Amino acid sequence: MAKYFDVHPDNPQPRAIGQVADSVRQGGLIAYPTDSCFALGCQLGSRDGIERIRAIRQLDDRHHFTLVCENFAQLGQFVHVDNDVFRAVKASTPGSYTFILPATREVPRKLLHPKKKTVGVRIPDHRVVQALLAELGEPLVSSTLLLPDEEEPMTQGWEIKERLDYLVDAVVDSGDCGTEPTTVIDFSSGEAEIIRKGAGDTSRFE
């Protein structure tokens, strides 16, 4: 049964954040809010967590997982970013964007796109997630909490708790979340390619 954490959206309680981080460190899978919509998250090296995300969402091996990072210093450990791409990404973060970039050796092979050797990265503009990332000291492996055969993600923490109670280890609720996922920009070729139009404005990449 999943633990339920009611976390203040502007002043996240350190004790609750610490307990959620402990769950992640112990290999747990969490459902948590972001600046776009709810997501599923697990520890970077958690093979079990990644497989559980795949099972819940029924994903194939071509799915791009996202490393949700606290800041640019952390992001730079996991992807290769040249100067032009750096400026474009920097201007759009933190925010509701996911960028697909060539991965460094720090990224577990299981997270990579099998042919491109790329991974998604993002820096969210959400105080609860930022507090959790600061406590963890490493990125969260994440994927939008969009269930198979459903057109929109769930927006209520209590609803996620009811439906995924035995599939996740913790649900973090800080109020209503949006239904629009991040805008996805693929920079793996060096040029911006809009893969998905979402919550982030695409005009600067068009």
Side-chain angles (χ1 to χ4, degrees):
M1 185 177 292
K3 293 181 179 178
Y4 182 81
F5 296 92
D6 188 2
V7 179
H8 194 282
D10 297 318
N11 298 292
Q13 303 93 313
R15 185 169 180 269
I17 293 297
Q19 289 177 313
V20 176
D22 284 344
S23 179
V24 173
R25 292 189 191 104
Q26 292 162 14
L29 177 63
I30 66 169
Y32 70 100
T34 74
D35 50 347
S36 56
C37 52
F38 271 97
L40 294 167
C42 68
Q43 192 173 33
L44 186 61
S46 176
R47 183 182 296 265
D48 178 65
I50 293 164
E51 289 307 318
R52 289 166 69 188
I53 293 174
R54 287 192 192 279
I56 290 169
R57 292 204 54 202
Q58 297 181 15
L59 301 171
D60 61 27
D61 64 358
R62 295 186 301 279
H63 175 73
H64 264 113
F65 281 94
T66 298
L67 298 181
V68 178
C69 301
E70 181 185 2
N71 49 40
F72 257 93
Q74 194 175 77
L75 183 146
Q77 297 175 42
F78 297 96
V79 289
H80 297 288
V81 188
D82 66 26
N83 289 338
D84 290 339
V85 172
F86 175 86
R87 284 192 289 271
V89 173
K90 181 78 170 173
S92 305
T93 55
S96 300
Y97 296 89
T98 297
F99 299 98
I100 296 172
L101 289 160
T104 68
R105 292 183 179 179
E106 299 294 318
V107 180
R109 184 176 298 175
K110 202 164 187 65
L111 295 179
L112 301 179
H113 186 284
K115 291 184 179 178
K116 297 182 177 181
K117 307 304 181 192
T118 50
V119 70
V121 288
R122 69 173 298 226
I123 302 172
D125 187 13
H126 194 285
R127 290 188 181 182
V128 173
V129 187
Q130 283 290 337
L132 178 57
L133 293 169
E135 178 69 23
L136 279 172
E138 64 180 19
L140 271 172
V141 175
S142 289
S143 183
T144 302
L145 207 177
L146 180 62
L147 298 181
D149 303 320
E150 295 196 4
E151 292 186 5
E152 290 191 342
M154 287 181 283
T155 62
Q156 307 281 344
W158 61 266
E159 180 189 11
I160 294 168
K161 163 74 169 157
E162 281 189 357
R163 294 194 54 187
L164 301 183
D165 204 17
Y166 292 94
L167 297 177
V168 301
D169 299 290
V171 176
V172 182
D173 190 356
S174 62
D176 287 2
C177 220
T179 59
E180 197 169 20
T182 58
T183 290
V184 180
I185 309 293
D186 189 341
F187 269 117
S188 58
S189 68
E191 300 290 329
E193 179 184 357
I194 300 169
I195 303 298
R196 179 179 72 196
K197 291 188 177 184
D201 180 18
T202 60
S203 58
R204 72 182 63 185
F205 302 106
E206 293 171 342

